[in-house]
Amino acid sequence: MIGRTYLERGRPVVVLARWLGPGLRNVLVRRENGRIAVRPFRDLRKPAAEIPTPGPLTSEEVDGRCASGEAPSRFELLYEALQASA
């Protein structure tokens, strides 16, 4: 599941992390525009054909978002921490 590409309303997303336990199965996803979000896994669909997985955000993309006044969300910071510990 982690690292796989799924479709969210017809648009590709990559699953970055998941939470286990009772209740909803939420996943941390990266959308094709680079935004990171937490959403329920139940609405994601398998693509009919293999979709190329987008690479990680570059430091220029992250710096550009911060410089434009768009601060990283707590989920983006969580994702960066997960990547740093891997």
Side-chain angles (χ1 to χ4, degrees), residues 23-37:
L24 295 175
R25 286 183 11 178
N26 288 336
V27 290
L28 181 69
V29 297
R30 183 178 68 225
R31 296 184 172 124
E32 63 184 342
N33 64 1
R35 300 293 261 159
I36 295 175

Side-chain angles (χ1 to χ4, degrees), residues 33-48:
N33 64 1
R35 300 293 261 159
I36 295 175
V38 174
R39 57 157 295 111
F41 180 75
R42 69 177 178 267
D43 294 331
L44 299 180
R45 302 290 179 245
K46 289 185 180 181

Side-chain angles (χ1 to χ4, degrees), residues 20-81:
L20 299 176
L24 295 175
R25 286 183 11 178
N26 288 336
V27 290
L28 181 69
V29 297
R30 183 178 68 225
R31 296 184 172 124
E32 63 184 342
N33 64 1
R35 300 293 261 159
I36 295 175
V38 174
R39 57 157 295 111
F41 180 75
R42 69 177 178 267
D43 294 331
L44 299 180
R45 302 290 179 245
K46 289 185 180 181
E50 186 61 33
I51 297 173
T53 302
L57 293 175
T58 64
S59 60
E60 291 82 21
E61 290 173 315
V62 173
D63 292 342
R65 285 190 310 183
C66 293
S68 69
E70 184 180 330
S73 72
R74 61 184 174 167
F75 301 113
E76 290 170 321
L77 296 173
L78 171 64
Y79 174 66
E80 290 171 9

